Amino acid sequence: MPNRSEIPTLFSDCLPKNNILTSTETLRPYECDGYTAYKSLPLAVLLPETTQQVIDIIKTCQSESIPIVTRGAGTGLSGGAHPISNGILLNLSKLNEILEINHELQYAHVGPGVRNLAISDAASEFGLYYAPDPSSQIACTIGGNIAENSGGVHCLKYGLTVHNLLEITFVTIDGELITIGSECYENPGYDILALLTGSEGMLAIMVEAKVKLLPKPTNKEVILAAFNKVEDAGNAVAAIIAGGVIPAGLEMMDNAIISAAENFCHAGYPTDAAAILLCELDGYGDSLQWEIDQVTEQCNLANAVSVHKAEDADEQELFWKGRKSAFPAIGQLTPDYLCMDGTIPRKHLAHVLSEISNYSKEIGLAVANVFHAGDGNLHPLIMYDANNLGELEKAEQIGGKILELCVSVGGTITGEHGVGIEKLNQMCVQFKREELNQFERIKESFDPTHLLNPGKVIPTLQRCAEFGKMHVHHGEMPFKDLPRF
Amino acid sequence: MSESDYIQTLSAVIEEANATQEALQILGGNSKSFYGNKISANTLDVSKHIGIVDYEPSELYITARNGTLLSEIEEILEANNQMLPFEPPHFSPSATLGGTVACALSGPRRAYASSMRDCVLGVNIVNGKGEYLEFGGQVMKNVAGYDASRLMCGAFGTLGVLTQISLRVSPKPHSEITIAIEINQREALENMNAWTQTQLPISATYFNNEVLYIRIAGLESTTKKAHQEIGGQIIENSEKFWNDLKNHQTDFFRTEKPLWRIIIPNTTPGLPINGESCLEWNGGLRWIKSNENTQQIINLCKKMKAQATLFKTNSKTKDCLASINPNIQKLHLNLKTAFDPKRILNPGRMYSWC
Ligand SMILES: Cc1cc2nc3c(=O)[nH]c(=O)nc-3n(C[C@H](O)[C@H](O)[C@H](O)COP(=O)(O)OP(=O)(O)OC[C@H]3O[C@@H](n4cnc5c(N)ncnc54)[C@H](O)[C@@H]3O)c2cc1C
Ligand SMILES: Cc1cc2nc3c(=O)[nH]c(=O)nc-3n(C[C@H](O)[C@H](O)[C@H](O)COP(=O)(O)OP(=O)(O)OC[C@H]3O[C@@H](n4cnc5c(N)ncnc54)[C@H](O)[C@@H]3O)c2cc1C
């Protein structure tokens, strides 16, 4: 295993000296991703500018047995791009070229470091856009989106990253360059494109992608409905969908988020409401009006105190601005917060929210809720102060309980942020031993020597056994002071 | 038989096959034996594992056991004004859900709604080692672990026996009309591809014999508006028209000639292959009846970035499905080993090498 001082020489044939970072100051910005609870420095950060450089780096890493953690923009929230102290951090942000916008076949061909929003910007001159829109879209990269199968507000109607991918080119751990998918509606064989989507940098390194572009909706409306009870808002969500409307976006915020967002960007939210729904509709001809009528009626039937349609494009944007700034707004209220990410069947919304509120009272930390209600994808934000001894552990305890609750009502421990290092323990709750073994064999069929992002996503059996014991001790973590990865 | 007894029996059969190294041929409704490769192996009849397990219209999913008839699923969805957005073909009444997912074929709505693969939310399987595994679930957003569910779609049962499947469903459109325009193929392709860049509520297209058929979905007033924009004549019996097409009950498909299914970038002009053809999915799916040399057709399609499957033929050759690059073949083999190390399940059914 090489040490840090040997790295520049080791990789000198792969890339220019300036693209190899090894000093502590230059490594510091990379010590964590958006999951900031744990930090460590990688052996080095490598910044390739071409696919060939990626291949050369991988081959060197393989021959020297150096672990590789790939990183896009580092906005991931589960520690997927968390560095490993004896491994390199492969930063792909310089592979940020938009290679082609094909408006006839409606796709964008891009490098992995291209930012999500940059694709829509480049496509807009053709009246097209890229639908999946994580709230981090201004910063996060398409490589990271593919690795996390990221979602966003528009995924209810237009699908997740996996539904909007046509083709990817990736480098295997052997340094082989493989393209999978095509410009066609179907591809032969096993769906390896889907398998790699959401695989969190564990199977291969994505170096190019063709993503689907859609025509920008010409007519859209945004409705803001306010409720006195969170439960009523939850019922409205179910009724809207059962009534045959699939909104382009359907988001819910609880009172804590409403107030924080309103304070932050003055979106015109009713700060006295227990919950609001933001509902975006787009459609052709009269169907848009029909949908507006339906949504309004269902909200009223579910006891909405007000249902307001945005007057114009400016107000629409303002409504969304409030939603998109929910995270930074909460950031102003608390020194630290954990952003959880579970999905549940929508019908359990009210029950799950009241349980979360119980956990919050029981353990003594405030929790605010914002979520993609249409998909049942929750984002409880657990507020804490890392400077107060024991608060991080308390926050993690609430987080763990929330995820287990999601599983118990038929949901999942992660809807879009991934497992990373954050949810390794809860993988043991959602999956049984045989299933984790099967994941392990999938991993090994791509990366038999475990050099890609080792220690993430699939917990070891020993870890599950220890986590199992943990339950006996009322959720107290054994070896509390050891880093959790 | 209870669910757990069924799973135990199935696991035991597969474990036994591992012990004796005797392969198994998974059989659902056996309506699809013409498709893919023929294999000789002991029969594993899974068609009796039936029943809808869970259906919640407001949650937009349906969960059913593998042997459930596709027709039964469609009936219950219909009663709730919902549908399978990928409009699966089912040629015979015996078509099962398991066989449908294993073959992953999508119908006329594919270019506008979703593919079969896009609709799978979760599957339960017994893998080649006899282990019962649950992947995915009933919620649309789920990134815990690898997406093993979609891996099962189109795998022809080579990675596991599907026992239960959850599918995403969608609301049915209020109404649909179909209009026909007399036009040549070049113009048809141009039109279809131009419409994909608009908001027109088209839900299927089909071109054959110099006529382009366009199905429009929505409120009556919106279909009227779209009809005015597109022009053409409304045809009678729209529903039967598309059903016959997807189930290959039209004259075009009554043929003794080899039938090719070609998936191609939809803007590609007409293929220089002798034989009658028709187009679906805005030109992205082309059916061609042709006596031309098999290898020549395959080579030509490769050059045009297309994938050619010899869908139906009287003189069956091996490996009729569209071919796969050698470097991807390697990944297939690794995955086959990961799920079915002793190659017990449907070996060679999909490709002779897998
Ligand atoms: C304020 C905020 C809001 C957010 N909102 C959303 C949201 O609405 N929806 C959502 O889904 N997520 C959201 N996220 C999470 C995050 O932005 C997404 O997960 C995003 O896709 C990560 O992209 P990235 O480029 O930053 O990837 P990184 O964080 O750098 O990496 C994420 C993972 O992908 C792997 N990876 C990155 N690039 C590659 C590659 N080229 N090949 C192989 N593996 C790779 C890494 O190893 C890591 O495991 C949000 C984050 C923040 C901070
Ligand atoms: C374009 C098109 C054309 C078709 N043409 C015809 C036709 O001409 N005649 C006709 O009869 N049918 C035809 N079919 C289709 C067929 O009726 C349906 O698609 C059907 O659902 C197949 O289901 P099955 O249960 O009959 O499958 P089977 O024929 O029993 O099996 C099909 C494949 O699925 C596997 N399989 C079945 N069940 C499982 C399971 N539980 N787990 C894992 N693997 C499983 C089998 O091993 C086999 O590889 C056609 C389909 C399409 C899309």
Side-chain angles (χ1 to χ4, degrees):
Chain A
M1 190 68 62
N3 62 37
R4 189 164 288 153
S5 62
E6 292 163 337
I7 291 287
T9 320
L10 200 56
F11 290 95
S12 62
D13 286 345
C14 303
L15 71 176
K17 209 167 68 201
N18 288 344
N19 298 25
I20 304 175
L21 313 181
T22 50
S23 72
T24 309
E25 312 83 77
T26 55
L27 297 181
R28 193 65 71 196
Y30 299 98
E31 63 188 354
C32 65
D33 58 7
Y35 182 61
T36 54
Y38 297 97
K39 297 184 168 126
S40 62
L41 293 184
L43 200 54
V45 173
L46 305 186
L47 293 147
E49 292 176 26
T50 65
T51 295
Q52 190 53 50
Q53 289 175 352
V54 175
I55 293 171
D56 294 343
I57 291 168
I58 300 305
K59 286 186 170 165
T60 306
C61 286
Q62 201 195 31
S63 67
E64 301 286 326
S65 295
I66 303 173
I68 302 152
V69 176
T70 310
R71 176 173 161 128
T75 66
L77 291 169
S78 58
H82 184 91
I84 295 174
S85 58
N86 63 350
I88 59 141
L89 191 69
L90 183 65
N91 185 331
L92 296 186
S93 59
K94 284 183 187 281
L95 289 167
N96 61 355
E97 201 182 338
I98 296 183
L99 303 158
E100 183 194 4
I101 299 285
N102 187 320
H103 70 279
E104 277 193 312
L105 284 170
Q106 291 173 266
Y107 67 77
H109 185 189
V110 300
V114 171
R115 291 173 308 111
N116 174 296
L117 195 57
I119 300 176
S120 291
D121 287 347
S124 79
E125 68 172 288
F126 302 105
L128 300 170
Y129 79 115
Y130 177 60
D133 53 349
S135 304
S136 53
Q137 68 181 152
I138 192 167
C140 65
T141 67
I142 195 72
N145 290 176
I146 296 169
E148 300 287 2
N149 191 16
S150 288
V153 164
H154 286 109
C155 290
L156 175 61
K157 184 163 178 180
Y158 297 106
L160 305 162
T161 303
V162 69
H163 303 112
N164 289 279
L165 274 179
L166 300 176
E167 181 185 293
I168 53 177
T169 300
F170 55 92
V171 180
T172 67
I173 191 61
D174 295 327
E176 226 183 314
L177 191 66
I178 298 182
T179 297
I180 197 141
S182 67
E183 291 155 20
C184 303
Y185 285 115
E186 233 177 53
N187 298 291
Y190 299 153
D191 199 347
I192 293 172
L193 186 61
L195 185 68
L196 289 175
T197 311
S199 66
E200 303 193 36
M202 302 279 290
L203 303 180
I205 292 155
M206 265 64 87
V207 289
E208 274 173 40
K210 282 186 185 157
V211 301
K212 196 150 86 177
L213 299 174
L214 300 179
K216 266 197 255 180
T218 38
N219 301 311
K220 68 174 180 194
E221 298 289 353
V222 179
I223 290 172
L224 189 162
F227 297 83
N228 275 339
K229 280 203 242 152
V230 173
E231 196 176 349
D232 290 342
N235 291 337
V237 170
I240 289 168
I241 287 168
V245 178
I246 306 288
L250 185 54
E251 301 284 302
M252 185 164 156
M253 293 179 247
D254 74 3
N255 181 269
I257 298 276
I258 299 169
S259 305
E262 184 57 22
N263 238 343
F264 192 77
C265 71
H266 314 292
Y269 293 167
T271 47
D272 53 347
I276 60 170
L277 284 182
L278 273 185
C279 180
E280 182 170 303
L281 301 163
D282 58 26
Y284 173 87
D286 293 346
S287 61
L288 180 56
Q289 187 56 47
W290 179 82
E291 292 193 355
I292 295 168
D293 294 344
Q294 283 286 308
V295 170
T296 308
E297 188 184 333
Q298 297 299 353
C299 288
N300 284 331
L301 284 173
N303 307 320
V305 277
S306 67
V307 182
H308 173 76
K309 185 164 73 93
E311 299 282 334
D312 50 26
D314 288 344
E315 196 176 14
Q316 289 179 1
E317 203 170 308
L318 198 58
F319 283 177
W320 279 124
K321 193 172 167 210
R323 164 62 185 88
K324 295 222 167 190
S325 54
F327 291 2
I330 286 292
Q332 287 199 332
L333 295 187
T334 171
D336 303 282
Y337 67 86
L338 274 188
C339 171
M340 303 311 292
D341 162 47
T343 309
I344 55 166
R346 282 178 290 260
K347 64 182 166 186
H348 295 300
L349 217 53
H351 164 68
V352 167
L353 289 175
S354 85
E355 282 296 289
I356 292 177
S357 149
N358 290 341
Y359 301 157
S360 158
K361 283 184 208 130
E362 229 170 80
I363 299 171
L365 290 178
V367 182
N369 286 290
V370 51
F371 40 81
H372 309 299
D375 304 313
N377 186 197
L378 314 175
H379 288 319
L381 304 178
I382 307 165
M383 298 179 239
Y384 71 100
D385 183 348
N387 290 325
N388 292 344
L389 205 66
E391 275 204 8
L392 167 62
E393 287 73 13
K394 279 189 185 173
E396 286 179 338
Q397 197 187 342
I398 298 183
K401 283 173 83 110
I402 292 173
L403 297 179
E404 285 160 38
L405 176 66
C406 291
V407 175
S408 74
V409 298
T412 168
I413 58 169
T414 170
E416 55 181 20
H417 294 168
V419 176
I421 51 172
E422 184 199 15
K423 301 188 192 93
L424 277 169
N425 283 339
Q426 282 73 30
M427 283 292 279
C428 312
V429 177
Q430 187 166 337
F431 295 101
K432 52 183 194 277
R433 185 191 174 113
E434 289 84 357
E435 288 149 1
L436 293 173
N437 284 345
Q438 185 66 68
F439 286 149
E440 194 60 54
R441 289 197 298 273
I442 293 174
K443 161 83 175 165
E444 281 171 0
S445 61
F446 283 81
D447 177 24
T449 47
H450 287 251
L451 288 177
L452 293 175
N453 227 353
K456 314 263 172 80
V457 182
I458 314 166
T460 58
L461 295 176
Q462 187 186 349
R463 186 181 180 113
C464 288
E466 282 176 10
F467 184 62
K469 269 188 231 144
M470 198 175 94
H471 281 277
V472 183
H473 298 293
H474 305 289
E476 274 233 21
M477 186 86 85
F479 314 114
K480 244 197 253 194
D481 43 353
L482 290 183
R484 298 203 305 134
F485 45 85
Chain B
M1 202 187 295
S2 80
E3 183 73 14
S4 62
D5 287 347
Y6 176 77
I7 300 299
Q8 261 179 21
T9 312
L10 185 58
S11 298
V13 170
I14 294 174
E15 277 166 21
E16 170 69 20
N18 269 281
T20 58
Q21 294 264 33
E22 282 182 74
L24 294 169
Q25 167 162 217
I26 310 164
L27 225 54
N30 199 22
S31 65
K32 274 281 217 55
S33 51
F34 69 95
Y35 186 50
N37 292 335
K38 289 212 177 352
I39 55 170
S40 78
N42 295 335
T43 299
L44 176 62
D45 182 353
V46 295
S47 64
K48 306 289 183 304
H49 192 54
I50 55 169
I52 290 166
V53 176
D54 201 0
Y55 170 45
E56 304 245 5
S58 74
E59 299 285 335
L60 297 179
Y61 71 74
I62 189 161
T63 302
R65 299 201 181 94
N66 64 284
T68 314
L69 295 180
L70 212 46
S71 53
E72 188 186 339
I73 291 172
E74 286 178 338
E75 243 165 64
I76 186 171
L77 293 178
E78 174 81 34
N80 286 280
N81 252 325
Q82 295 190 330
M83 62 177 185
L84 296 174
F86 57 98
E87 252 183 341
H90 36 118
F91 282 67
S92 98
S94 67
T96 67
L97 178 61
T100 301
V101 174
C103 296
L105 290 159
S106 313
R109 210 179 294 272
R110 195 280 167 246
Y112 292 93
S114 308
S115 67
M116 200 276 118
R117 290 171 201 232
D118 282 343
C119 290
V120 168
L121 297 175
V123 298
N124 297 355
I125 65 164
V126 177
N127 69 10
K129 296 167 65 150
E131 294 167 338
Y132 178 59
L133 310 171
E134 299 172 64
F135 294 118
Q138 295 168 326
V139 292
M140 168 167 161
K141 272 179 159 177
N142 181 356
V143 291
Y146 305 121
D147 188 349
S149 309
R150 282 183 58 155
L151 209 47
M152 299 300 139
C153 306
F156 282 78
T158 56
L159 298 177
V161 180
L162 296 152
T163 63
Q164 185 172 302
I165 296 141
S166 294
L167 294 176
R168 180 173 157 88
V169 304
S170 354
K172 262 189 76 168
H174 298 264
S175 64
E176 287 188 308
I177 59 165
T178 299
I179 48 186
I181 306 177
E182 278 189 46
I183 199 172
N184 68 33
Q185 178 164 313
R186 187 182 51 78
E187 289 166 329
L189 280 167
E190 275 170 16
N191 276 327
M192 289 189 284
N193 283 295
W195 291 329
T196 60
Q197 294 176 53
T198 70
Q199 312 287 317
L200 283 167
I202 298 175
S203 69
T205 52
Y206 174 61
F207 177 82
N208 184 27
N209 262 339
E210 310 292 298
V211 184
L212 175 60
Y213 299 88
I214 307 122
R215 188 174 65 186
I216 309 171
L219 297 173
E220 263 169 46
S221 58
T222 48
T223 57
K224 211 183 254 170
K225 177 168 143 71
H227 178 201
Q228 276 164 3
E229 277 186 52
I230 295 172
Q233 297 289 321
I234 295 190
I235 66 162
E236 301 281 300
N237 254 334
S238 169
E239 201 174 330
K240 180 171 177 348
F241 177 87
W242 294 100
N243 266 332
D244 286 353
L245 169 65
K246 92 176 166 177
N247 293 341
H248 289 190
Q249 301 295 312
T250 58
D251 286 344
F252 178 90
F253 293 99
R254 282 186 206 109
T255 175
E256 292 300 306
K257 284 189 190 164
L259 175 66
W260 289 84
R261 180 176 191 267
I262 295 170
I263 302 285
I264 193 165
N266 45 351
T267 50
T268 315
L271 290 168
I273 299 173
N274 281 326
E276 201 191 333
S277 70
C278 66
L279 278 58
E280 290 189 68
W281 303 357
N282 300 329
L285 166 59
R286 304 188 188 183
W287 298 96
I288 300 183
K289 301 185 279 192
S290 174
N291 280 324
E292 271 197 42
N293 177 280
T294 301
Q295 204 50 48
Q296 256 170 7
I297 293 182
I298 292 174
N299 291 346
L300 179 87
C301 285
K302 247 190 207 142
K303 256 194 244 149
M304 308 195 79
K305 291 187 172 182
Q307 303 139 16
T309 291
L310 183 49
F311 194 74
K312 235 178 181 176
T313 168
N314 288 334
S315 55
K316 200 128 217 205
T317 48
K318 269 224 170 282
D319 288 352
C320 298
L321 300 179
S323 63
I324 290 177
N325 290 338
N327 56 1
I328 303 175
Q329 258 188 32
K330 205 165 68 185
L331 293 175
H332 270 66
L333 286 168
N334 288 350
L335 285 168
K336 172 76 175 165
T337 306
F339 281 87
D340 181 19
K342 294 210 170 155
R343 289 170 163 56
I344 297 302
L345 302 176
N346 279 357
R349 175 77 170 84
M350 187 178 186
Y351 294 104
S352 53
W353 45 267
C354 192

